[in-house]
Amino acid sequence: MTYKWTGKLVGITIVILVYEDSAVHSMSDSQKRETKETVEEMFNHAYGSYMKYAFPADELMPLSCKGRYRGTEPSRGDVDDTLGNFTLTLIDTLDTLAVLGQVEKFETAVQLVIDYARFDSDIIVSVFETNIRVLGGLLGGHVMAAYFKRKRRAMEWYNGELLVMAKEVGYRLLPALNTTTGIPYPRINLKYGMEKDKLAQRHKDTCTACAGTMILEFAALSRLTGDPVFEEKAHKVMDYLWQQRHSSSDLLGTVINVHSGDWIRREAGVGAGTDSYYEYVLKAYVLLGDEKYLYRFDRHYNSIMKYMSKGPMLVDVHMHKPTSSARHFMDALLAFWPGLQVLKGDISPAIKTHEMLYQVIQRHNFLPEAFTTDFKVHWGQHPLRPEFVESTYFLYKATHDPHYLQVGRLIVENLNKHARVPCGFAAIKDVVTGKHEDQLDSFVLAETFKYLYLLFSEERDLVVPVNEYIFTTEAHLLPLTLSLVNSSTIETKVKTSLYDVNLDGPLLLDPEENSDQQTCPNPLHLNKGTTSYAFDIRTELKDYVNNVLSPGDSCIRPSPRLHAADFVISNREHQELINRMGIKISTMSDGRLQLLHSAGSAASKQDAEEGLEFMKEMIELSQNAQHDHQQEPMTVQFVSNPFHGSVSLKAGPAQFGYNLKVNPPIFGQVAIVTPYDACHTIQNPRDLEGKIGVLERGSCMFMDKARRLQAAGAIGGIVIDNNKESTAESSLLFAMSGDGQSDVVIPLVFLFFKEGQRLLDAAYEYPDLELLLTYTPKSDVVFNTANSEKAEPLNPGDSEKKEVPTEIHTKVQVEAPPSTESTQVESSSNDKSAELNTQATKHVQSVEALESLGKTTDTYSCSTQYGPAFLSVFATTLPGENSFTIIRNKDNTVDLRFHLFQVTENRKPEINTLYVQIVEILRQRTNFLLLEKQEEYLIALARMLEAAIFQVDISHDTGQNILKLTGLLQVEEDPIIISGPKDMVDGASHLYTSQSKDKNQSFSCKRTNPLLKFSERHCPLQKNRKVTKVDSIPQKQASDGV
């Protein structure tokens, strides 16, 4: 092993970097090897499922067995800002493949990333997540690719492509750092930076960890590329955050304003909001050799251990009043802290905190997202986070105690038993019930499985010498040799004289500094030949969680006081707690809630004091709420007679459910919900089925209202404010918040009272009122024309005057062999239709489709045109198999025709129903999954479908994407979900067709798994295949011209 890279760390990393594993007594070598192989099989199951069902999507949806693309699934709120439609999971997994020794898969994955990953989509993403997952993943992949090439193990063709891509991502993130303080904005548009959608005005606050977790990736990018701008920007962020620490406590809050530097939230902790900032302060010293970061970390660490450490627990405090606890629960992200303490060299408290967390896991199988200081579940979710596994790995490396192998094996068993599903591993929605979430975050593959594999691996068996690298917060590997590279204008402070390592004791970096907290002795030297050191510490905490702490243990456990930031008005337990504090809730005349505190009404003096603290916190939160930005409005549009789209009301959006901004609008009749607040079981579900429910704000959470509406069969909901003075003219719109779940799939919008009354008045006067829930209002001319034509249907005479063909019958042969220059088309029609040119005929067909709206209960059709591209959709309640036809005409026009069967009866199909089925057909029966920029095509399809139904204009960008799509789409006769390398997309060579004697038939070769080597040989003609001909569509569909 090489020792020189650890000497500059002044003994900090000596405990994990220098010593070989000793013999493990409680787990045999064969058991350890078997567990490692089990972990590798689990990784292969998750990774293989992603590649089979999801790639090139950002994430795998393991319950649905499909990929999650941004904008095509119900919104999950801020969580979706992780997604950028840039093959996130594959990028995040690159160096895991390398660490696991799967070199061939790694090489294939690198090629796929180069071919598929694009970073220019018009999408708003999280700066923090994009940095640690995408930029970090590309850097880790590049470092591994360069290593394998240097060792001649693989990647001989590699020429730094991933580093070029990393630099592009870095440049796309740089505009976020153009603030007066240097602290980055939390969100950025990949394509337009901060210019579009007024991002700079809407996002002014960011979390400490979001801002302070860039120095490793940005410095590495500068030193690998020679461009100093990234490292300079990142150092400026770290310097400013250090400047803004509280002068007496040396602690930082959790949320800061990027312009003023004011603290928006002053809670200080080591969990969510601040965790990786502290991690990067220490690791910046380790990677870069700059002593100022070690000094800063020591100051922070002293304060954390002084104010937050309560026995094995770590509780949040107020940065300006650190002796006062800020909340009564701990979150799962603090589980990284013992691992960081190992890196620091402070082993004893690391063992204690890890043991406490392990006991919580033994209770619930997994670590809940949050649990109270008396160890009750606060938030029950568990997305298979890696932090506890990370600390387990580092504690094992530091102590060689076989206990940590047993801990790791329990985690492996729980993952296989409780999280494994046929298509991967699913997040746990509730650790109490064990219910699954349709979610597999990329960090499970990037971190969780990587640390588990390393825990059970012998160093001699690893193909990558991980001791020569440092792990980023996303477990990506950066070489320690970067400390010697000075591509930045900021000089490093590495002292080569420090490379001589004294294995039996720490070497002080600066003897003049107070070094009491710089390092701790290595327990492997204090306790040579035994693992009793860690055992003795754990024994002190035996059954710590199970034994309910007595009230006298105040020095260990703070009182679980309710804090304003955690208060939920609909929570009965919270209502009882504030009542004990002497706080009463009353409703003001304008519908707002008022909190009144009376110390004399409190249950005790301590409760009264806590009530006063609660009120102070609530006032601070109320003041901070003034920083909230104006939300982008949605629209409620009246489209039925006599309005015809002339009335549009500005509505507030929801952070959950169906996303009206990127998906087609929702169209339906209005129905009033009973009870009006929808806070109890809905009594009129028959009235709501297939309609848009109208309900009142108040008495329960928005999500609860939405769930009851959805269960009653409503297709959407409009919440009307209960404050009689509110109006959109004088009030700021806000987004209705969710609860972190994604089970609501219908849209919900919010109207202020004045606008809501206008809607109610119209609904009472016109019982059949039809509305459109949409992002932007549609042209009223369209609705006027559609309704007038529907009121006076055409008779046969009218049809003759317009020279509309009574029948157009087309036989199409789709997709000739590659050598064929054009698609053969045979068409026959009556004499009148023959006289019409193709463009005019299609226009008349579009009009006819619009006229047919609502005429029958079992058929529906619509169509639209952009340039030479036509989209036609025909839906019926009749039984049959959905089909898709591409008709390439001699005049260079192209028809995309969808025939949908068994659509919901007794009402016109919802736009979303049509959209979902169209997307499913494209994914299963065409080469769509092979195409690049799928997300742009999906959004364009949604917009074109919207244009077809409501006859609105198609934007230039949408139209251009549709034209590109029509040129790339090819029908597969065998419906297979396909994904694979880019070279399978270019040209028509990926699809081979063989003509039989019957000219009306064409056959396609069946493709195997996309990740297997693609055979370029023509496969033999498959006989006896069932072929669906275009003319097999039932005659009743003649209104579509087929």
Side-chain angles (χ1 to χ4, degrees):
M1 174 181 291
T2 301
Y3 295 95
K4 66 177 183 178
W5 302 121
T6 61
K8 71 184 182 70
L9 307 182
V10 199
I12 291 179
T13 59
I14 244 178
V15 294
I16 62 171
L17 296 181
V18 174
Y19 300 101
E20 299 285 349
D21 286 351
S22 59
V24 177
H25 301 293
S26 64
M27 182 178 287
S28 66
D29 290 342
S30 60
Q31 289 175 323
K32 192 176 178 182
R33 184 171 56 255
E34 288 173 4
T35 309
K36 182 190 73 171
E37 292 171 353
T38 298
V39 173
E40 187 168 10
E41 184 279 330
M42 294 164 66
F43 168 82
N44 289 336
H45 176 59
Y47 178 70
S49 295
Y50 166 76
M51 296 305 297
K52 181 178 181 180
Y53 300 111
F55 175 79
D58 281 333
E59 287 181 354
L60 169 67
M61 299 174 68
L63 302 184
S64 303
C65 297
K66 64 179 182 179
R68 186 188 300 278
Y69 290 90
R70 182 77 174 270
T72 63
E73 301 294 335
S75 173
R76 300 176 298 171
D78 290 345
V79 176
D80 282 342
D81 289 344
T82 301
L83 312 180
N85 293 331
F86 35 37
T87 69
L88 172 66
T89 294
L90 188 60
I91 292 174
D92 218 3
T93 308
L94 287 177
D95 55 10
T96 303
L97 289 165
V99 169
L100 267 62
Q102 299 185 12
V103 181
E104 291 184 5
K105 287 186 179 179
F106 170 76
E107 187 162 8
T108 300
V110 171
Q111 185 63 63
L112 289 174
V113 168
I114 294 171
D115 288 343
Y116 279 93
R118 296 293 179 270
F119 310 107
D120 58 353
S121 298
D122 183 7
I123 293 177
I124 297 172
V125 297
S126 163
V127 173
F128 167 74
E129 297 289 356
T130 304
N131 174 62
I132 66 171
R133 301 199 200 194
V134 179
L135 178 55
L138 291 170
L139 290 173
H142 165 72
V143 168
M144 292 295 97
Y147 173 80
F148 287 138
K149 182 177 182 179
R150 187 169 65 252
K151 296 295 183 179
R152 297 184 178 180
R153 291 288 304 271
M155 308 298 297
E156 294 182 4
W157 55 269
Y158 182 71
N159 195 31
E161 290 85 350
L162 293 181
L163 184 59
V164 173
M165 298 173 76
K167 192 173 182 180
E168 179 191 349
V169 174
Y171 277 124
R172 290 189 181 278
L173 294 180
L174 277 181
L177 288 94
N178 292 333
T179 62
T180 54
T181 62
I183 294 177
Y185 290 102
R187 304 286 186 272
I188 194 168
N189 186 296
L190 287 173
K191 188 172 185 178
Y192 298 105
M194 301 302 301
E195 300 302 321
K196 190 175 181 181
D197 298 327
K198 298 181 180 179
L199 278 179
Q201 287 74 37
R202 292 168 48 202
H203 299 283
K204 299 177 182 178
D205 306 327
T206 191
C207 73
T208 304
C210 301
T213 312
M214 303 184 79
I215 185 64
L216 295 192
E217 291 84 1
F218 269 44
L221 183 60
S222 281
R223 298 185 181 208
L224 289 171
T225 63
D227 189 338
V229 64
F230 305 105
E231 184 170 354
E232 290 172 356
K233 292 282 188 180
H235 279 299
K236 183 179 179 181
V237 175
M238 299 299 279
D239 291 345
Y240 191 84
L241 287 174
W242 170 251
Q243 173 187 317
Q244 294 303 104
R245 75 193 187 284
H246 194 272
S247 58
S248 60
S249 71
D250 281 332
L251 297 176
L252 280 69
T254 55
V255 178
I256 192 170
N257 184 279
V258 301
H259 295 302
S260 66
D262 294 337
W263 289 105
I264 306 304
R265 297 194 62 168
R266 295 169 178 260
E267 301 94 329
V270 295
T274 54
D275 51 350
S276 50
Y277 162 75
Y278 293 118
E279 177 186 1
Y280 271 39
V281 174
L282 180 56
K283 288 184 176 179
Y285 166 67
V286 175
L287 183 65
L288 308 179
D290 192 334
E291 297 171 19
K292 71 180 181 183
Y293 288 111
L294 179 60
Y295 170 77
R296 292 174 182 180
F297 182 79
D298 285 339
R299 293 279 297 269
H300 286 318
Y301 189 80
N302 289 340
S303 295
I304 290 169
M305 299 308 291
K306 178 179 180 179
Y307 298 117
M308 300 183 199
S309 179
K310 308 295 181 181
M313 296 188 297
L314 292 158
V315 299
D316 284 14
V317 298
H318 296 284
M319 61 176 289
H320 57 291
K321 190 179 179 182
T323 57
S324 174
S325 60
R327 62 183 188 181
H328 71 288
F329 64 87
M330 295 171 278
D331 64 73
L333 289 175
L334 65 78
F336 91 100
W337 185 251
L340 192 65
Q341 288 180 306
V342 170
L343 188 63
K344 160 71 176 172
D346 200 1
I347 307 298
S348 178
I351 294 172
K352 293 178 181 178
T353 298
H354 182 275
E355 177 63 20
M356 178 269 293
L357 295 170
Y358 179 50
Q359 291 182 23
V360 174
I361 290 175
Q362 288 176 304
R363 266 191 171 192
H364 304 293
N365 298 318
F366 299 102
L367 192 64
E369 276 294 84
F371 53 93
T372 61
T373 49
D374 54 355
F375 304 109
K376 296 177 181 178
V377 174
H378 186 70
W379 298 327
Q381 304 95 327
H382 177 73
L384 314 184
R385 287 196 183 278
E387 286 78 13
F388 180 77
V389 183
E390 174 186 359
S391 290
T392 303
Y393 166 67
F394 285 120
L395 274 169
Y396 176 67
K397 295 294 289 183
T399 66
H400 289 181
D401 190 333
H403 165 76
Y404 297 106
L405 296 177
Q406 302 296 345
V407 172
R409 185 157 65 178
L410 177 66
I411 295 170
V412 170
E413 292 171 352
N414 286 345
L415 284 171
N416 260 331
K417 182 177 180 180
H418 302 290
R420 189 176 184 126
V421 294
C423 295
F425 289 82
I428 306 300
K429 189 172 185 178
D430 187 345
V431 297
V432 177
T433 64
K435 188 176 180 181
H436 287 145
E437 193 92 50
D438 199 4
Q439 172 181 331
L440 179 66
D441 287 281
S442 65
F443 57 65
V444 180
L445 291 163
E447 300 182 75
T448 306
F449 287 124
K450 182 183 291 173
Y451 284 125
L452 281 173
Y453 182 84
L454 290 172
L455 176 63
F456 295 101
S457 297
E458 300 291 345
E459 185 177 327
R460 61 180 176 270
D461 297 331
L462 296 173
V463 300
V464 176
V466 295
N467 289 343
E468 297 177 10
Y469 300 85
I470 193 168
F471 291 103
T472 69
T473 193
E474 191 76 4
H476 295 307
L477 277 67
L478 298 177
L480 292 171
T481 51
L482 287 177
S483 62
L484 303 178
V485 180
N486 188 12
S487 296
S488 171
T489 57
I490 302 172
E491 289 192 17
T492 60
K493 300 180 180 180
V494 180
K495 299 177 180 178
T496 56
S497 61
L498 296 179
Y499 287 163
D500 297 327
V501 180
N502 178 1
L503 298 181
D504 292 316
L507 184 65
L508 298 183
L509 183 68
D510 188 348
E512 297 179 2
E513 291 287 343
N514 181 358
S515 59
D516 291 342
Q517 287 293 327
Q518 279 196 333
T519 59
C520 285
N522 186 344
L524 290 180
H525 284 267
L526 294 177
N527 304 276
K528 292 182 178 180
T530 177
T531 57
S532 62
Y533 174 76
F535 174 80
D536 292 342
I537 295 175
R538 290 195 306 273
T539 301
E540 301 173 10
L541 297 172
K542 185 177 181 181
D543 294 327
Y544 178 84
V545 170
N546 290 330
N547 296 330
V548 178
L549 299 179
S550 65
D553 291 325
S554 58
C555 60
I556 300 179
R557 176 170 61 91
S559 174
R561 178 176 74 80
L562 177 64
H563 296 273
D566 308 321
F567 178 62
V568 177
I569 191 170
S570 59
N571 188 313
R572 292 184 179 180
E573 182 180 353
H574 289 185
Q575 293 175 3
E576 294 174 0
L577 286 173
I578 65 171
N579 187 54
R580 284 184 56 85
M581 298 178 192
I583 299 173
K584 303 296 181 184
I585 302 176
S586 63
T587 303
M588 301 173 65
S589 59
D590 61 1
R592 291 180 295 167
L593 296 178
Q594 184 179 42
L595 300 182
L596 302 172
H597 179 238
S598 172
S601 302
S604 66
K605 181 180 179 180
Q606 181 180 354
D607 288 321
E609 293 175 352
E610 292 180 350
L612 182 59
E613 289 295 325
F614 181 92
M615 294 298 290
K616 290 179 180 177
E617 293 171 358
M618 188 61 74
I619 292 172
E620 185 176 354
L621 285 176
S622 178
Q623 293 172 344
N624 292 338
Q626 297 176 5
H627 293 272
D628 290 349
H629 55 267
Q630 172 78 359
Q631 297 290 330
E632 285 190 281
M634 300 295 116
T635 300
V636 176
Q637 189 170 14
F638 300 5
V639 299
S640 58
N641 185 49
F643 302 100
H644 307 306
S646 61
V647 176
S648 297
L649 306 177
K650 185 184 296 185
Q655 294 178 349
F656 55 86
Y658 185 85
N659 190 341
L660 290 168
K661 183 175 180 179
V662 298
N663 290 319
I666 296 297
F667 172 77
Q669 286 188 349
V670 169
I672 309 300
V673 179
T674 305
Y676 190 33
D677 60 6
C679 289
H680 302 284
T681 302
I682 291 179
Q683 300 172 9
N684 60 333
R686 291 185 178 180
D687 297 336
L688 288 171
E689 185 177 1
K691 298 180 181 179
I692 299 171
V694 178
L695 58 152
E696 185 182 38
R697 179 186 184 183
S699 303
C700 62
M701 295 178 65
F702 292 119
M703 282 289 286
D704 293 333
K705 297 175 187 289
R707 288 190 179 101
R708 293 189 181 95
L709 269 184
Q710 183 171 285
I715 60 174
I718 302 172
V719 180
I720 297 179
D721 196 7
N722 54 6
N723 175 9
K724 296 182 179 181
E725 304 298 324
S726 67
T727 171
E729 298 174 357
S730 58
S731 305
L732 289 178
L733 283 178
F734 65 91
M736 294 178 285
S737 61
D739 57 8
Q741 307 302 312
S742 58
D743 53 321
V744 172
V745 297
I746 63 173
L748 205 67
V749 298
F750 180 86
L751 290 179
F752 288 107
F753 187 84
K754 179 179 178 181
E755 288 73 22
Q757 286 303 304
R758 187 172 183 185
L759 169 61
L760 291 175
D761 291 343
Y764 285 124
E765 186 173 357
Y766 305 100
D768 295 329
L769 177 66
E770 293 177 318
L771 300 178
L772 199 66
L773 304 184
T774 180
Y775 176 49
T776 55
K778 311 307 173 188
S779 172
D780 59 344
V781 177
V782 174
F783 298 109
N784 219 348
T785 304
N787 282 280
S788 62
E789 290 177 347
K790 187 166 63 174
E792 300 177 6
L794 296 173
N795 55 42
D798 295 327
S799 178
E800 291 180 4
K801 292 176 184 178
K802 290 187 177 182
E803 297 185 341
V804 178
T806 57
E807 178 184 6
I808 297 178
H809 192 72
T810 308
K811 291 184 179 180
V812 183
Q813 184 163 336
V814 181
E815 202 59 62
S819 60
T820 304
E821 294 182 357
S822 61
T823 303
Q824 300 178 18
V825 179
E826 299 178 7
S827 62
S828 62
S829 61
N830 59 24
D831 294 338
K832 289 185 177 182
S833 64
E835 295 174 1
L836 296 174
N837 61 60
T838 306
Q839 298 285 349
T841 301
K842 295 181 184 303
H843 175 73
V844 173
Q845 289 175 331
S846 176
V847 172
E848 282 196 325
L850 185 60
E851 291 173 353
S852 68
L853 290 173
K855 285 187 177 181
T856 63
T857 60
D858 58 359
T859 61
Y860 175 86
S861 62
C862 61
S863 60
T864 192
Q865 171 193 2
Y866 182 87
F870 293 83
L871 172 71
S872 299
V873 179
F874 195 92
T876 179
T877 61
L878 300 175
E881 183 180 358
N882 290 348
S883 66
F884 170 55
T885 307
I886 304 176
I887 304 176
R888 305 188 190 279
N889 300 293
K890 293 181 179 179
D891 61 354
N892 294 324
T893 59
V894 181
D895 285 349
L896 305 180
R897 295 193 176 184
F898 295 88
H899 299 88
L900 311 178
F901 293 84
Q902 294 178 305
V903 178
T904 307
E905 297 190 28
N906 300 325
R907 59 184 171 91
K908 290 180 290 186
E910 305 167 22
I911 305 175
N912 192 42
T913 300
L914 299 178
Y915 175 71
V916 169
Q917 293 196 39
I918 287 172
V919 172
E920 192 67 18
I921 291 175
L922 290 180
R923 286 175 173 170
Q924 292 190 0
R925 304 194 178 187
T926 73
N927 63 329
F928 183 78
L929 289 177
L930 289 173
L931 305 181
E932 297 178 3
K933 299 185 178 181
Q934 294 175 29
E935 69 283 354
E936 295 183 9
Y937 295 143
L938 290 174
I939 294 174
L941 275 172
R943 292 289 171 259
M944 196 161 187
L945 181 61
E946 174 184 322
I949 292 175
F950 301 107
Q951 295 296 287
V952 295
D953 293 335
I954 299 173
S955 69
H956 175 75
D957 289 344
T958 295
Q960 291 302 308
N961 282 327
I962 288 295
L963 293 179
K964 292 178 185 178
L965 180 62
T966 57
L968 295 171
L969 270 184
Q970 296 176 358
V971 174
E972 294 285 344
E973 292 293 340
D974 255 347
I976 310 170
I977 297 179
I978 305 167
S979 60
K982 181 182 178 183
D983 56 11
M984 295 168 60
V985 181
D986 298 333
S989 59
H990 75 283
L991 177 63
Y992 298 100
T993 60
S994 301
Q995 289 182 303
S996 67
K997 294 180 180 179
D998 184 352
K999 294 183 179 181
N1000 294 325
Q1001 296 182 357
S1002 63
F1003 300 99
S1004 304
C1005 295
K1006 188 171 183 178
R1007 206 174 336 214
T1008 58
N1009 187 294
L1011 295 182
L1012 300 178
K1013 291 184 178 180
F1014 180 70
S1015 173
E1016 295 185 355
R1017 294 177 296 175
H1018 288 208
C1019 57
L1021 180 63
Q1022 300 181 29
K1023 298 182 179 180
N1024 301 322
R1025 181 180 305 207
K1026 181 181 178 181
V1027 179
T1028 303
K1029 302 179 183 178
V1030 177
D1031 57 3
S1032 66
I1033 304 299
Q1035 187 64 33
K1036 194 166 188 177
Q1037 300 181 27
S1039 63
D1040 191 41
V1042 178

